[in-house]
Amino acid sequence: MSTSAPHAALLAAIPRRERVIEVLGSRTRLVEYGPSDAATTVVVVHGFRGDHHGLEPVVARLPHLRILAPDLPGFGASTPFPDRPHDIDGYAAWLNALVAAEGLTGEAVLLGHSFGTIVVSAAVALGMPTPSVILVNPIGAPALSGPRGVLTRAAIGFYRLGAALPERAGFAVLRSRVVTRVMSVSMAKTGDKDLRRWIHAEHDRYFSGFANRDMLLEAFRASVSHDVSEYAERVTPRTLLVAATLDDITPIEAQRRLVTLFPDARLVEIADVGHLIHYEKPVEAAGAITEFLA
């Protein structure tokens, strides 16, 4: 059966340019969508273990914007950092340097999804200037506390096992299609069988695009050791949170608390979807983004 992208025709109608730039020693793949002379440029930061493809369903519905979508160092086609940890501070510094290299300091809107929301929030909290911040499925509460703490610790054990095993066996564990499918099935909430099939195919294609085991473990530790709430008070630009009512990663009650921590933020709740807003509800996400930026 076909697993072609539901948004393929929309995306094909948008100009797309791809290049590689060096940022803090990482040869970073940077994909640019939309008109080069658009009034607004948005830099988007994808989630853990993904790459720039993950946000394309939303990008496809924002044809009026110039969107820069890099692969995080160590993921997708971007090489790892040669001399610094793959932690939140490292990724925040990389984001700041990337935007500066593009001549967009203080001009580009910053958008993060999932793990990318932590990176974006940290970068802004550390002083990176931006007119606006957009956080889709923000990681809004500590992963090691609350009802999901046991599962998070089990996941840490899984990544440690993958890093400790001999190289071939470790890669097999970390790139296990079975583990990827379990993750994908647990996060997908849609009842549309064709859409679910496509989501699983996307995770099969892109979820294992990491450079090596060590950087993956570093990045995973960063993803579960930090959350947006620790940076929110210092994120002073106007901020949009796009959250899901069925998100298993950060419950909607935690998102409602999170929005109150920002100096200037609003929350848009999207119903009947979990941590995959970008796949299952891209129309609603794009609509919220368009209204916010207008």
Side-chain angles (χ1 to χ4, degrees):
M1 295 184 182
S2 172
T3 55
S4 60
H7 58 280
L10 291 173
L11 193 66
I14 298 175
R16 181 186 186 279
R17 302 162 292 280
E18 183 174 331
R19 50 199 161 92
V20 175
I21 63 172
E22 185 162 320
V23 185
L24 301 188
S26 166
R27 287 181 53 80
T28 297
R29 173 165 66 181
L30 182 62
V31 182
E32 180 177 347
Y33 305 88
S36 58
D37 59 350
T40 301
T41 297
V42 181
V43 176
V44 302
V45 183
H46 63 76
F48 182 68
R49 285 191 66 155
D51 66 13
H52 73 278
H53 290 95
L55 289 164
E56 284 190 333
V58 179
V59 170
R61 292 163 172 90
L62 299 169
H64 57 295
L65 301 176
R66 178 186 180 218
I67 295 177
L68 301 182
D71 290 349
L72 284 166
F75 295 100
S78 294
T79 62
F81 294 128
D83 56 1
R84 67 180 65 214
H86 296 79
D87 57 12
I88 298 302
D89 286 348
Y91 281 125
W94 163 86
L95 178 60
N96 198 352
L98 182 146
V99 171
E102 293 295 299
L104 293 168
T105 298
E107 299 178 14
V109 174
L110 301 180
L111 183 155
H113 171 256
S114 190
F115 177 61
T117 66
I118 307 176
V119 174
V120 167
S121 298
V124 176
L126 291 168
M128 182 177 177
T130 178
S132 303
V133 173
I134 300 169
L135 306 176
V136 181
N137 285 121
I139 306 298
L144 292 172
S145 64
R148 297 191 66 260
V150 172
L151 293 177
T152 300
R153 288 181 175 86
I156 291 173
F158 165 75
Y159 280 95
R160 283 179 175 161
L161 173 65
L165 287 170
E167 184 174 1
R168 186 171 181 179
F171 266 89
V173 168
L174 292 171
R175 288 182 164 147
S176 167
R177 295 287 285 269
V178 173
V179 172
T180 297
R181 183 52 56 88
V182 169
M183 176 279 303
S184 188
V185 169
S186 68
M187 289 199 294
K189 304 298 183 185
T190 180
D192 184 325
K193 292 182 179 179
D194 289 338
L195 181 57
R196 289 182 71 91
R197 190 178 300 114
W198 176 75
I199 290 170
H200 298 332
E202 285 291 282
H203 285 139
D204 287 345
R205 287 188 193 103
Y206 302 120
F207 197 67
S208 294
F210 56 89
N212 59 63
R213 297 176 298 162
D214 291 340
M215 62 76 39
L216 183 66
L217 183 58
E218 287 179 349
F220 177 74
R221 284 173 174 156
S223 75
V224 297
S225 301
H226 299 275
D227 67 89
V228 173
S229 69
E230 68 187 89
Y231 305 107
E233 290 182 355
R234 291 175 286 153
V235 177
T236 56
R238 58 191 297 267
T239 300
L240 171 68
L241 281 64
V242 183
T245 61
L246 302 181
D247 195 340
D248 296 318
I249 307 297
T250 301
I252 192 62
E253 293 80 9
Q255 305 286 21
R256 291 167 183 163
R257 290 193 298 271
L258 176 64
V259 72
T260 67
L261 302 180
F262 290 85
D264 181 9
R266 59 170 295 196
L267 171 67
V268 171
E269 299 182 16
I270 300 183
D272 303 319
V273 66
H275 202 64
L276 304 180
I277 283 176
H278 57 310
Y279 284 157
E280 297 185 33
K281 300 281 187 175
V283 174
E284 292 83 348
I289 292 166
T290 298
E291 180 181 353
F292 175 72
L293 293 179

